Amino acid sequence: MNGTDWATLRPVYFDSIGQTLLMVLVTMVVGGLLGLGLGVALYITRRGGILAQGPVHTALNVLVNLVRPIPFIIFMTAVGPLTLKVMGTTVGTTAALFPLVLAATFGISRLVEQNLVTVDPGVIEAAHAMGASPWRIIRTVLIPEALGPLILGYTFALVAVVDMTAVAGAIGGGGLGQFAITYGYQRFNWTVTWVAVLTIVVMVQIAQFSGNALARKVMRR
């Protein structure tokens, strides 16, 4: 690592790791919960669902389909005015949390819906026949039955969120993405760039391994 002043860069590097972890954690917790709610709503309001509501399902479906295809770097800039109104700024890690949570919510909702579709309808019909309320069916039948695939889906989403935090760094969101661009790419310092890349790869590997292990454990119960 000759030519790289790590005595100066080391504190920035560790701050960047902390910012990336903060963005991933907040996005997965807030966006994960909102995505779960939206995904369940998509599933139960669809035709044949336990609370079938065609117009509601159509509206939610169109909304998700409108947001999901937008590349994150464009989405982040497009919601800039809303981010400014909600967060008070469009620059920095705190500002990046708003578009990250929004994008994760819509992405995760579709993953949740797709995993809930795999639940055996007979199990839900049996619970319904025994007089279980819709909320009880969701809480004690639907989500537990799909828990293993849901964990794998959330692991996939987590890896995508790590990617999005790197994109956020390209336009002032902080984290390892900004570290790699500011201190690596813009200064022609490939060592710094590769250290940032390696750090992101290690984070993704840990997340993927942990998610796979947890899903296996749940599905073997």
Side-chain angles (χ1 to χ4, degrees), residues 45-208:
T45 57
R46 62 192 295 153
R47 183 183 298 175
I50 57 178
L51 288 173
Q53 291 287 338
V56 174
H57 178 76
T58 300
L60 294 177
N61 201 39
V62 169
L63 180 62
V64 172
N65 284 343
L66 281 174
V67 175
R68 280 189 63 231
I70 303 173
F72 181 67
I73 193 165
I74 297 174
F75 179 79
M76 190 171 177
T77 55
V79 298
L82 194 56
T83 302
L84 182 61
K85 188 164 287 189
V86 174
M87 308 300 285
T89 177
T90 57
V91 179
T93 301
T94 302
L97 289 174
F98 183 73
L100 281 168
V101 167
L102 274 184
T105 296
F106 289 103
I108 289 173
S109 69
R110 193 60 85 192
L111 288 173
V112 170
E113 183 198 19
Q114 289 171 351
N115 283 309
L116 294 182
V117 169
T118 65
V119 176
D120 182 0
V123 179
I124 298 171
E125 288 171 10
H128 190 63
M130 287 189 290
S133 66
W135 169 241
R136 186 163 186 176
I137 292 174
I138 293 168
R139 187 168 50 86
T140 63
V141 178
L142 192 59
I143 292 178
E145 284 289 325
L147 190 56
L150 279 175
I151 291 172
L152 291 176
Y154 271 83
T155 304
F156 178 83
L158 191 152
V159 174
V161 168
V162 172
D163 290 343
M164 289 195 297
T165 63
V167 173
I171 49 178
L176 286 166
Q178 185 166 333
F179 177 76
I181 292 169
T182 303
Y183 298 97
Y185 177 74
Q186 292 180 348
R187 300 185 183 185
F188 303 101
N189 190 330
W190 305 116
T191 301
V192 169
T193 303
W194 278 104
V195 167
V197 169
L198 183 62
T199 306
I200 291 172
V201 169
V202 170
M203 291 169 68
V204 167
Q205 291 301 315
I206 292 172
Q208 189 68 60

Side-chain angles (χ1 to χ4, degrees), residues 147-153 155 209-221:
L147 190 56
L150 279 175
I151 291 172
L152 291 176
T155 304
F209 177 80
S210 302
N212 289 347
L214 184 59
R216 273 198 305 272
K217 187 175 181 180
V218 168
M219 288 190 280
R220 285 176 181 169
R221 287 185 308 181

Side-chain angles (χ1 to χ4, degrees), residues 15-32:
D15 283 347
S16 300
I17 293 176
Q19 290 166 355
T20 295
L21 291 176
L22 176 66
M23 286 190 279
V24 172
L25 180 64
V26 173
T27 302
M28 288 307 297
V29 171
V30 181

